Amino acid sequence: MTSINPGKKAAGERATEYIQSGMIVGLGTGSTAFWAIEKIGKMVMEGLQITAVATSVTSEEQAEKLHIPLISFAELDHIDVDIDGADEVDENMNLIKGGGGALLREKIIASSSKEMIVVVDESKMVETLGKFPLPAEVIPFGWEMTFRKLQSFGCTPVLRKKNQEVFVTDNGNYIIDCSFGSIPSPGDLQSQLNNIPGVVENGLFTNICSTVIVGYADGSTKVIS
Ligand code: 5RP
């Protein structure tokens, strides 16, 4: 990490107040969830007894370093609380996620949690979703056709690359980032895009998030429920 964003740090740390001993906790992905995981690591060292499930290989590695006890998704029947970041949050707590490429595991874990707490800095709060390109995770087979089908929804799609190579998710898939500019009906678009054969999941999270914690540059936070 290069420089610390105080809003992200404050939001991530504040979310850990929702964790109690005995809970199963979902660990999100990204530079805001990072701070929640760091704080959970300290709390575990001080005696907090939880088990956690990670939304990405990166978060799993961070948790392992901090000696946070991890459980595999296969061993779980529920998750108590999931703490994760977002790329955009609208007034109805609909989200765009997947900027870090972990949207599929993030959605599986969020939708299996009793509570999803989203941690963001104030720059992520928007009136209408869509300025941030919506990530869609797609199967590599026939991705060119899937790309064209996504385009037919009126967006400008781009195959995600990292260091000039095609970006591959933890699940072995590709990401197509779809610039819509504005997404007035996120719930409808979420299901329509998932109906395209080849799309595994997209980064619209509607009716999943129950609490948003916004962090500000002065280190203060606001909770929206
Ligand atoms: C990863 C995500 C992240 O939560 C999202 O990109 C926000 O990241 P950050 O907290 O670094 O701004 O969805 O897939």
Side-chain angles (χ1 to χ4, degrees), residues 8 29-33 84-87 97-103 106 124:
K8 290 185 176 195
T29 297
S31 56
T32 318
D84 205 345
D87 301 298
K97 284 186 53 54
L103 66 104
E106 288 174 338
K124 308 289 184 70

Side-chain angles (χ1 to χ4, degrees), residues 136-139 146 150 190 193-202:
E137 179 154 347
V138 306
I139 296 282
T146 310
L150 285 164
Q190 180 182 354
L193 296 184
N194 283 356
N195 274 339
I196 302 173
V199 172
V200 186
E201 191 48 85
N202 68 79

Side-chain angles (χ1 to χ4, degrees), residues 127-193:
E127 238 170 72
T128 309
L129 300 179
K131 233 187 200 158
F132 189 92
L134 173 66
E137 179 154 347
V138 306
I139 296 282
F141 176 84
W143 73 265
E144 299 89 342
M145 183 63 79
T146 310
F147 183 98
R148 287 193 285 276
K149 288 186 176 157
L150 285 164
Q151 200 166 27
S152 73
F153 279 81
C155 65
T156 306
V158 174
L159 181 67
R160 190 179 294 186
K161 297 209 170 146
K162 193 177 173 186
N163 304 327
Q164 271 133 28
E165 302 281 336
V166 178
F167 175 85
V168 179
T169 70
D170 288 345
N171 317 299
N173 296 319
Y174 295 166
I175 298 274
I176 297 176
D177 292 301
C178 304
S179 291
F180 279 94
S182 173
I183 301 176
S185 306
D188 293 341
L189 188 65
Q190 180 182 354
S191 355
Q192 287 160 359
L193 296 184

Side-chain angles (χ1 to χ4, degrees), residues 45-124:
M45 243 174 54
E46 288 161 8
L48 178 78
Q49 296 203 332
I50 55 149
T51 39
V53 58
T55 55
S56 63
V57 172
T58 305
S59 296
E60 191 170 295
E61 287 170 354
Q62 185 188 356
E64 274 167 358
K65 273 193 206 138
L66 296 165
H67 308 292
I68 300 172
L70 287 165
I71 186 169
S72 79
F73 200 71
E75 296 168 84
L76 288 174
D77 59 2
H78 77 283
I79 296 163
D80 292 293
V81 63
D82 173 41
I83 301 174
D84 205 345
D87 301 298
E88 281 186 346
V89 181
D90 77 7
E91 291 167 338
N92 298 313
M93 295 203 280
N94 296 314
L95 320 171
I96 287 185
K97 284 186 53 54
L103 66 104
L104 176 57
R105 293 191 191 187
E106 288 174 338
K107 201 180 272 191
I108 292 172
I109 286 175
S111 65
S112 312
S113 295
K114 290 184 190 161
E115 186 169 15
M116 180 195 198
I117 300 175
V118 167
V119 288
V120 290
D121 69 7
E122 57 184 318
S123 70
K124 308 289 184 70

